[in-house]
Amino acid sequence: MRWLITYLMFISGLQVSVLAQNDGPYEHFIFWDEDNDLEWVDFDGLAKRYSDHGAYSFTGFMTEYRYSNGKHYALVRTYFDQELSWTKTWTNLLLRHEQGHFDIAEITAREFRAEVQQRMENRKMNATIFDSLRAEAIKKLNERQKEYDYSTDYSLDFQAQEKWDHKIEQRLQSLSQYIEPVITVEVR
């Protein structure tokens, strides 16, 4: 369900230029930050009463692209929506699992930023290409989220969860040069 909602949200063209947390209609968003992990108090949504799951994290990334005055500008910012995220339990292992969903969204955003930056620098970027790359990134994100849940049995497989935690941390480190959500490239 998580991937369907995320997919529909991005297909509908969610493109906003939000650069500050807690402003306007996005005050219920927590933006990914390497120094701040999720806490159970961040899950403000109503738990799905008949769900088989103990928690749900609504994560994704917001995007914007424009070209003006010889400069490419893109924003790819990973978020956690507090209002759409919920929990029925408060175990540490499940919280780690939900943080993993948020981190996987950031990994995918970093890969997207890397591709966007490379294309900007090679003068092969425009709004149509950006939209196509975004659609590919969303598809990849949804596939990864499903694989993560399936592989870890929604956090119930402790050893698999440990492996994923390590894999996620390594991937975040390997993409650390793409941590900044804003990309600006001047074309000469």
Side-chain angles (χ1 to χ4, degrees), residues 8-20:
L8 292 175
M9 190 169 172
F10 284 105
I11 290 301
S12 67
L14 175 65
Q15 293 187 26
V16 292
S17 58
V18 177
L19 297 177

Side-chain angles (χ1 to χ4, degrees), residues 1 3 11 16 19 33 43 56 65-66 75 80 86 88 92 97 115 122 125-126 143 146 156 160 167 169 177 181:
M1 183 66 160
W3 66 269
I11 290 301
V16 292
L19 297 177
D33 181 336
F43 293 71
Y56 173 81
Y65 170 78
R66 70 177 174 265
L75 169 73
F80 170 88
W86 53 264
K88 292 193 264 184
N92 288 336
H97 179 79
E115 181 70 20
N122 292 330
M125 177 57 72
N126 59 41
E143 290 168 355
K146 286 191 290 187
L156 297 176
K167 178 179 173 180
E169 183 59 36
Q177 71 191 69

Side-chain angles (χ1 to χ4, degrees), residues 58-89:
F58 191 99
T59 63
F61 40 85
M62 49 183 35
T63 66
E64 180 182 341
Y65 170 78
R66 70 177 174 265
Y67 178 80
S68 177
N69 298 324
K71 283 188 180 180
H72 291 282
Y73 166 87
L75 169 73
V76 180
R77 192 156 193 205
T78 309
Y79 68 86
F80 170 88
D81 189 324
Q82 293 178 277
E83 289 182 347
L84 297 177
S85 301
W86 53 264
T87 186
K88 292 193 264 184
T89 185

Side-chain angles (χ1 to χ4, degrees), residues 20-186:
Q21 191 164 330
N22 297 326
D23 287 347
Y26 304 101
E27 63 190 15
H28 57 278
F29 280 19
I30 295 175
F31 295 103
W32 194 93
D33 181 336
E34 67 183 327
D35 296 325
N36 294 310
D37 287 340
L38 294 174
E39 300 177 11
W40 282 128
V41 295
D42 297 326
F43 293 71
D44 290 341
L46 292 175
K48 303 302 179 218
R49 187 175 186 180
Y50 299 107
S51 174
D52 292 335
H53 305 293
Y56 173 81
S57 295
F58 191 99
T59 63
F61 40 85
M62 49 183 35
T63 66
E64 180 182 341
Y65 170 78
R66 70 177 174 265
Y67 178 80
S68 177
N69 298 324
K71 283 188 180 180
H72 291 282
Y73 166 87
L75 169 73
V76 180
R77 192 156 193 205
T78 309
Y79 68 86
F80 170 88
D81 189 324
Q82 293 178 277
E83 289 182 347
L84 297 177
S85 301
W86 53 264
T87 186
K88 292 193 264 184
T89 185
W90 297 272
T91 67
N92 288 336
L93 183 60
L94 184 56
L95 183 58
R96 270 185 31 216
H97 179 79
E98 297 306 314
Q99 179 67 48
H101 282 294
F102 198 16
D103 293 342
I104 288 168
E106 174 63 14
I107 288 166
T108 308
R110 289 182 188 188
E111 292 169 347
F112 180 29
R113 289 178 199 130
E115 181 70 20
V116 167
Q117 182 173 333
Q118 178 185 9
R119 288 183 183 245
M120 286 177 172
E121 290 169 352
N122 292 330
R123 300 176 186 215
K124 295 181 180 181
M125 177 57 72
N126 59 41
T128 302
I129 292 170
F130 184 83
D131 290 344
S132 176
L133 293 173
R134 180 182 62 222
E136 289 174 25
I138 292 164
K139 180 179 178 187
K140 186 182 295 184
L141 173 59
N142 293 330
E143 290 168 355
R144 284 179 174 161
Q145 299 288 25
K146 286 191 290 187
E147 178 187 2
Y148 176 60
D149 276 338
Y150 179 76
S151 298
T152 62
D153 193 18
Y154 300 88
S155 83
L156 297 176
D157 184 334
F158 181 77
Q159 289 179 331
Q161 185 66 53
E162 288 283 318
K163 288 178 185 175
W164 269 90
D165 291 345
H166 182 69
K167 178 179 173 180
I168 288 168
E169 183 59 36
Q170 282 185 321
R171 192 67 180 137
L172 284 169
Q173 287 298 319
S174 72
L175 293 165
S176 62
Q177 71 191 69
Y178 301 105
I179 195 170
E180 290 300 320
V182 176
I183 306 161
T184 306
V185 173
E186 188 169 353

